[in-house]
Amino acid sequence: MAIYIKAFVLLPLLFVSCYARNKHIDQGFDDANDSPVGINFDPSPHGLLGFLVGKKKNNDNNKSNKKNKKNELIFPRFPFQFPFNGVNQNQEEPAPLEPAVEEKNNGIPKPDFETENRGTWMIHSPNAGVAAMHIQLMPNNKAVWYDTTNLGPSAIQNNPPFCKPVPERPGETDCWSHGVQYDVESGQVRTLKVMTDTWCSSGGLSSNGELVSTGGYREGIRSIRIMNPCDNCEFQENANGLAAMRWYATQHMLENGSFILVGGRGAHNYEIIPPGRLQFQVQQFGLNFLVETEDEKENNLYPFVNLLPDGNVFIFANDRSIIIDPYTGKTIRDLPVLPGGSRNYPASGTSALLPINLNTPNPDDVEVEIIVCGGNTKDAFKYSEFPPRQFFPALKDCGRISANRQGAQWDIEEMLSPRVMGDMLLLPNGDILIINGAKTGTSAWDAAEEPNLVPLLYSLNKPKGQRFKELNPSQIPRMYHSVSAVLPDGKILVAGSNTHAVYDFQAKYPTDLRVEKFSPPYLAPELEQHKPLILENGANNEMKYGQNFKINIKLNEFVDETDIKVTMYAPPFTTHGYSQGQRLLILKLQAVTNQEVTVVAPPSGRIAPPGYYLLFVVHRGVPSRGMWVRIDQ
């Protein structure tokens, strides 16, 4: 009888406190050990009795204590409901079980899982046949790369056989391949037919997933080439498609899917070309900024170009940057000079638009930052170009600036080693990888020494002074004309390096045809248990601007919005140390479970230009395999 009196007194108090707390009983996780915590309650008379006289199960703390299994009462978890007649029948249905408010860390993301792993290297192909000077990952998981048609014999002939005249050597033909399609899983190579010279060209993926290649050298200097993403596709080319000569130019997509082409040797202007077309009406604008930033040895080629959230375009050349309206040519704003030296070709630093976090009240007004690292002094190329060569130490500093905030200044920090010709890649988890390059000298034939074999990981959200971390080194020098690319599985494909005017396999730094894969620390074996799996079978791969997008996942841990972020990566066209069109978005979260994640698609083409992206679900720094998605109106 006493036990029922106890129940009569305590149950109303228990009900009020639990209902006021969250309308349901907590089934959260303890941050220290990822163990379930909370109350398991069975409202039946037997369960009520067990709750009042028994103990709540403890999953971890008392594992070492022997328990009397006959006396322990364990009940299934389900929403806390009392079948009292007095409860309002119109009361809102209890929400599904989720971690309690205090377990959500007040909305602040939980720290990434820690690992001592510093990455691993493997040879993926011992000989791909063609040195990788330019690279683009395609939506069919093939990487397209090519060098230049004037480098002489490569290591693989065209298949099917095809020869083209060599303009500077009358009567001579070249039957060797200078472009390949590379299967990033199997390493299988298919040669590509390239008619116009692609040396130091530009490129990017169109909104339809085609590779649009622009400019180059000689007969290719005004060329447009288009290649569809299919197993047997070849380039379609127009040798006179561009309004200006584009050698060492930069290509970037605008909000409507058109491309802006900026600069090039002797081209102090830019033009806009529509996607997917070999012929179109000229839209060209003068850009005196490129005249103003040209040194004795240029230092303003392959300018760094980024689309901003207001539709304007950021352009960095040499040590200066401006913001322009791309459709009128008007300069909106000049930014402060970045001190220290020159950052563009041939001094050849590297740069990226930092990840854009859309978890903000108004994503259209999100502040964006740009980082610029490395390079060399303004006169370094003057001394490295011809014998007797002198190789000046590369720069160690990096500058970060808020590109769309009035009055912003450069914030300077130092890398752990100097670097010129390095690639800067945005990783699926929001970190940055700086890889390849040299410690002294500049770009151009044989103009650098001391290969920098050590990749750097840059964690932009860590305190200043703690952001850089050295990773395990490669054994292969990757200097002039080397490339890298983020793959769907999160690994990094690394290829190329040819510092000579022809293929040379006997030099101190020989032409390198090996292909490597680098696994960043987030692929460490001990983190595998935390890796989400996107269930792609039957998944929706089409996004619409501003609309909700659901992703079915499998994850063997309970999670909430402080554990998960969803990133969306635009695979860039990478050449000469700069990844053109690279962009990583952190999408706005709507709902999170370990089975389904709902996000809001980017609001417009100004934030995410239309086309193909790799989408990753990231669990406390550990990314899933990427899924290809396409966004448009």
Side-chain angles (χ1 to χ4, degrees), residues 322-392:
I322 60 171
I323 295 171
I324 68 166
D325 179 335
Y327 304 109
T328 66
K330 179 184 177 182
T331 297
I332 305 297
R333 188 165 73 253
D334 286 89
L335 281 71
V337 170
L338 175 59
S342 298
R343 314 291 177 160
N344 296 85
Y345 185 94
S348 294
T350 189
S351 177
L353 178 73
L354 294 183
I356 301 174
N357 192 344
L358 300 178
N359 288 278
T360 179
N362 188 0
D364 284 308
D365 294 332
V366 66
E367 189 171 300
V368 297
E369 285 187 277
I370 288 165
I371 188 169
V372 178
C373 293
N376 214 315
T377 62
K378 289 180 177 292
D379 59 350
F381 183 55
K382 180 178 178 179
Y383 294 91
S384 66
E385 183 179 15
F386 299 116
R389 300 177 188 268
Q390 297 180 52
F391 304 109
F392 291 3

Side-chain angles (χ1 to χ4, degrees), residues 574-628:
T574 298
T575 187
H576 290 75
Y578 182 53
S579 293
Q580 304 178 16
Q582 183 172 223
R583 206 173 191 87
L584 184 81
L585 308 168
I586 303 173
L587 301 184
K588 187 170 186 177
L589 289 173
Q590 289 287 83
V592 172
T593 72
N594 64 347
Q595 295 181 327
E596 184 180 84
V597 178
T598 303
V599 294
V600 182
S604 70
R606 294 180 173 186
I607 299 291
Y612 285 83
Y613 293 75
L614 280 170
L615 184 140
F616 299 88
V617 176
V618 183
H619 177 210
R620 293 178 63 180
V622 182
S624 68
R625 182 182 177 89
M627 175 178 73
W628 285 100

Side-chain angles (χ1 to χ4, degrees), residues 87-106:
V87 174
N88 187 346
Q89 297 301 312
N90 294 324
Q91 176 182 308
E92 179 184 348
E93 287 293 321
L97 282 177
E98 63 179 27
V101 172
E102 64 264 30
E103 292 298 320
K104 291 184 179 179
N105 205 24
N106 294 321

Side-chain angles (χ1 to χ4, degrees), residues 473-487:
S474 171
Q475 302 302 309
I476 301 176
R478 303 283 187 182
M479 297 199 291
Y480 192 45
H481 293 154
S482 61
V483 299
S484 57
V486 176
L487 299 180

Side-chain angles (χ1 to χ4, degrees), residues 501-571:
V502 295
Y503 279 58
D504 187 342
F505 301 106
Q506 306 302 320
K508 179 180 179 181
Y509 301 113
T511 304
D512 209 297
L513 303 180
R514 290 172 289 182
V515 180
E516 291 177 287
K517 284 188 177 180
F518 177 66
S519 297
Y522 54 60
L523 293 176
E526 62 268 23
L527 299 182
E528 181 70 22
Q529 61 184 317
H530 305 300
K531 184 175 183 175
L533 172 67
I534 296 179
L535 304 177
E536 290 198 49
N537 288 340
N540 178 21
N541 297 94
E542 296 289 329
M543 276 186 172
K544 298 295 181 183
Y545 289 116
Q547 296 186 10
N548 283 0
F549 185 81
K550 294 183 183 295
I551 310 147
N552 293 321
I553 67 169
K554 180 180 179 182
L555 182 60
N556 296 324
E557 300 173 51
F558 288 100
V559 291
D560 61 43
E561 67 269 20
T562 65
D563 297 280
I564 295 294
K565 62 184 174 185
V566 176
T567 61
M568 193 168 138
Y569 180 65

Side-chain angles (χ1 to χ4, degrees), residues 459-502:
S459 301
L460 64 155
N461 293 320
K462 288 187 176 181
K464 189 174 179 180
Q466 302 176 28
R467 293 170 180 161
F468 286 105
K469 177 182 179 181
E470 289 187 332
L471 303 180
N472 285 331
S474 171
Q475 302 302 309
I476 301 176
R478 303 283 187 182
M479 297 199 291
Y480 192 45
H481 293 154
S482 61
V483 299
S484 57
V486 176
L487 299 180
D489 61 5
K491 294 179 181 177
I492 310 301
L493 186 145
V494 183
S497 194
N498 182 27
T499 70
H500 320 293
V502 295

Side-chain angles (χ1 to χ4, degrees), residues 239-383:
N240 296 295
L242 301 179
M245 296 182 289
R246 302 291 174 196
W247 191 25
Y248 301 95
T250 297
Q251 178 174 321
H252 190 87
M253 188 182 286
L254 300 176
E255 60 184 290
N256 61 2
S258 296
F259 288 105
I260 183 172
L261 299 180
V262 182
R265 180 160 285 169
H268 302 130
N269 50 56
Y270 71 89
E271 62 186 286
I272 296 175
I273 65 172
R277 291 168 57 186
L278 293 174
Q279 294 182 329
F280 42 83
Q281 186 175 351
V282 172
Q283 296 184 71
Q284 182 171 299
F285 303 82
L287 191 59
N288 195 55
F289 170 72
L290 294 176
V291 177
E292 298 169 356
T293 54
E294 186 171 314
D295 291 335
E296 177 187 355
K297 292 297 184 180
E298 298 173 304
N299 287 328
N300 65 349
L301 301 181
Y302 278 132
F304 306 144
V305 178
N306 291 288
L307 177 68
L308 300 180
D310 59 4
N312 292 321
V313 171
F314 169 95
I315 302 174
F316 184 104
N318 199 328
D319 60 357
R320 289 179 49 196
S321 47
I322 60 171
I323 295 171
I324 68 166
D325 179 335
Y327 304 109
T328 66
K330 179 184 177 182
T331 297
I332 305 297
R333 188 165 73 253
D334 286 89
L335 281 71
V337 170
L338 175 59
S342 298
R343 314 291 177 160
N344 296 85
Y345 185 94
S348 294
T350 189
S351 177
L353 178 73
L354 294 183
I356 301 174
N357 192 344
L358 300 178
N359 288 278
T360 179
N362 188 0
D364 284 308
D365 294 332
V366 66
E367 189 171 300
V368 297
E369 285 187 277
I370 288 165
I371 188 169
V372 178
C373 293
N376 214 315
T377 62
K378 289 180 177 292
D379 59 350
F381 183 55
K382 180 178 178 179
Y383 294 91

